[in-house]
């Protein structure tokens, strides 16, 4: 799959790599048809031979075909867009359900332990509270990495290359080439995090900023930063971390979730 920024007009107009125009199979027939058109027009204007088109059915059929192709392509693009939006809502809905269930069963167990009042029960209650905050932080990381991956995808990386005015040869590539080439846009660095109290950028500013920071409850620890830096897929790593935390505390829940 060829990747490029489709709003760079001059780049699209003069691009040779990946272009459907600047190819021998396109230029030679195009030039031949242009020459034949000029010859027919010259013969018609000279009066040596005149011909009349009885109706415009052929052009109407061509227009209908082009209209159908454009409308079909547009509808297909919109369907893919709304399908992605639906999957995005589905993802956040499942994440919310997962944390709400874990929080509800954990708090219920904490209250039961606090009613017992012995040291072992209070230690388990404190352990559960710690895990609730850790899991909440992990879900924030998961949401941030998922949003960062969506907002720094392959097409967005090509757009950023165009804005950074890198060489024209580097503004069109394949998906495999994008993975193998050095990261010119900085998308692979991962998101930055600000504590909620320190966040100053508005939502609109963050939306238009390529290096916008995500808001969390606290900064990443050195251990978390090192693990996420070494992770090849930060989203899957965050999901694995949440599952590991939940499985580690499952024995302390008096009523395990289904």
């Amino acid at each position: 799959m060829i990747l490029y920024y489709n709003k760079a007009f001059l780049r699209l107009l003069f691009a040779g790599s990946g272009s459907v125009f600047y190819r021998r199979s396109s230029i030679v027939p195009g030039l031949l048809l242009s020459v034949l058109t000029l010859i027919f027009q010259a013969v018609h204007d000279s009066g040596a031979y005149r011909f009349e088109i009885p109706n415009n059915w052929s052009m109407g059929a061509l227009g209908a075909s082009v209209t159908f192709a454009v409308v079909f392509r547009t509808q297909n693009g919109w369907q893919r867009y709304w399908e992605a939006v639906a999957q995005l809502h589905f993802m956040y809905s499942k994440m919310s359900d997962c944390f709400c269930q874990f929080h509800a069963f954990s708090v219920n167990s904490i209250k039961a332990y606090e009613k017992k009042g012995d040291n072992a029960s209070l230690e388990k209650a404190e352990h559960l509270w710690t895990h609730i905050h850790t899991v909440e932080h992990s879900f924030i990381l998961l949401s941030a990495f998922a949003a960062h991956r969506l907002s720094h995808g392959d097409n967005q990386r090509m757009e950023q290359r165009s804005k950074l005015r890198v060489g024209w040869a580097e503004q069109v590539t394949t998906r495999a080439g994008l993975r193998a080439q050095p990261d010119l846009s900085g998308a692979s660095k991962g998101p930055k995090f600000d504590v909620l109290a320190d966040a100053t950028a508005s939502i609109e500013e963050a939306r238009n900023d390529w290096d916008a920071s995500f808001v969390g409850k606290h900064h990443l620890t050195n251990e978390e930063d090192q693990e996420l830096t070494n992770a090849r897929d930060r989203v899957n790593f965050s999901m694995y971390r949440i599952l590991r935390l939940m499985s580690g505390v499952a024995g302390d829940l008096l009523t395990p979730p289904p």
Side-chain angles (χ1 to χ4, degrees):
M1 178 179 179
I2 298 177
L3 298 174
Y4 57 91
Y5 180 46
N6 60 4
K7 293 183 180 179
F9 177 75
L10 293 178
R11 181 68 184 83
L12 293 177
L13 184 62
F14 297 106
S17 177
S19 175
V20 297
F21 300 106
Y22 303 116
R23 293 190 301 187
R24 182 178 299 176
S25 59
S26 299
I27 293 179
V28 173
L31 292 176
L32 179 60
L33 291 175
S34 300
V35 172
L36 291 177
T37 301
L38 292 175
I39 293 175
F40 289 150
Q41 186 65 42
V43 171
H44 182 273
D45 293 340
S46 65
Y49 178 78
R50 289 185 176 272
F51 53 89
E52 299 292 338
I53 299 177
N55 54 60
N56 59 353
W57 181 89
S58 58
M59 297 305 298
L62 178 62
S65 302
V66 173
T67 302
F68 175 78
V70 171
V71 171
F72 178 79
R73 177 72 175 177
T74 304
Q75 288 182 342
N76 188 40
W78 275 111
Q79 287 176 358
R80 295 176 62 185
Y81 170 78
W82 287 113
E83 181 182 0
V85 171
Q87 292 297 325
L88 184 64
H89 283 282
F90 184 74
M91 177 188 71
Y92 277 101
S93 174
K94 291 301 181 182
M95 289 168 55
S96 177
D97 292 343
C98 180
F99 179 74
C100 286
Q101 284 196 29
F102 174 76
H103 187 274
F105 283 97
S106 298
V107 170
N108 183 55
S109 299
I110 289 172
K111 290 182 177 180
Y113 284 131
E114 289 177 346
K115 284 183 179 180
K116 292 181 179 180
D118 57 280
N119 292 334
S121 298
L122 292 178
E123 288 180 1
K124 289 184 178 180
E126 184 66 26
H127 184 246
L128 283 174
W129 273 123
T130 303
H131 268 68
I132 287 177
H133 295 306
T134 305
V135 170
E136 180 184 9
H137 175 64
S138 298
F139 269 107
I140 292 175
L141 293 181
L142 176 60
S143 175
F145 289 130
H148 183 270
R149 180 64 185 88
L150 292 172
S151 61
H152 293 68
D154 295 341
N155 291 331
Q156 286 74 22
R157 291 174 67 174
M158 300 309 298
E159 178 181 357
Q160 187 67 10
R161 286 189 179 193
S162 177
K163 291 180 179 179
L164 294 175
R165 300 186 183 279
V166 300
W168 275 31
E170 296 172 333
Q171 291 189 34
V172 57
T173 183
T174 61
R175 183 155 290 167
L178 187 65
R179 300 290 186 270
Q181 296 169 359
D183 183 18
L184 302 177
S185 61
S188 61
K189 294 180 180 179
K192 297 180 295 184
F193 291 91
D194 283 337
V195 179
L196 183 60
D198 300 335
T200 57
S202 64
I203 296 178
E204 190 63 29
E205 291 174 347
R207 183 180 301 164
N208 297 325
D209 187 3
W210 178 257
D211 296 320
S213 300
F214 290 83
V215 179
K217 297 191 68 174
H218 55 77
H219 291 290
L220 296 177
T221 63
N222 293 332
E223 181 182 359
E224 289 175 335
D225 186 61
Q226 186 65 32
E227 289 178 344
L228 293 169
T229 301
N230 297 332
R232 297 185 62 182
D233 191 334
R234 298 184 180 94
V235 176
N236 283 335
F237 177 81
S238 301
M239 293 175 63
Y240 167 76
R241 186 182 180 195
I242 291 173
L243 293 176
R244 184 180 60 185
L245 290 170
M246 289 185 173
S247 62
V249 79
D252 294 335
L253 297 178
L254 297 177
T255 308

